[in-house]
Amino acid sequence: MTYVVTENCIKCKFMDCVEVCPVDCFYEGENMLVIHPDECIDCGVCEPECPAEAILPDTEEVAEKFLEVNREYSEKWPNITQKGDAPADADDWNGKEGKFEAHFSPNPGDS
Ligand code: SF4
Ligand code: SF4
């Protein structure tokens, strides 16, 4: 089992999650973060920290879809351990539907 970052992180990217992870297994894309499934120790500490409620255990159906996204991009994006600035319009995107199809960016983050 692992925890997974799901769609609602896209364009929210509040990053409260990265500071609490004891094994630093978050990786940063241009507009979302992912968790490396093999590094996550399933502690669950990050889940309640996410204001977007985007972090879920992979036992949830919606998280299953994102498991491969987390796996693929945690190999490609840089590790992130410190919270950066959330996008100015992050709150406007919180809860919007269809963000993966319309807005997912495969580019790495740079904070
Ligand atoms: S706290 Fe939630 S929305 Fe923010 S970066 Fe982490 S997973 Fe994404
Ligand atoms: S569940 Fe624990 S180990 Fe896994 S990403 Fe969250 S804080 Fe890190």
Side-chain angles (χ1 to χ4, degrees), residues 1-10 17 21 25-27 32-50 52-74 77 100 104:
M1 195 189 124
T2 178
Y3 280 74
V4 174
V5 181
T6 62
E7 183 164 25
N8 204 33
C9 178
I10 296 171
C17 53
C21 180
C25 64
F26 282 91
Y27 293 80
M32 81 174 288
L33 303 190
V34 290
I35 291 169
H36 196 306
D38 297 337
E39 295 174 0
C40 173
I41 58 169
D42 308 334
C43 69
V45 171
C46 58
E47 185 183 10
E49 296 297 322
C50 175
E53 298 182 3
I55 302 175
L56 298 171
D58 68 355
T59 45
E60 303 255 346
E61 206 179 322
V62 58
E64 256 179 59
K65 281 201 305 186
F66 275 85
L67 179 57
E68 282 315 306
V69 174
N70 280 244
R71 181 174 293 285
E72 178 178 351
Y73 289 95
S74 61
W77 291 344
F100 186 75
F104 173 77

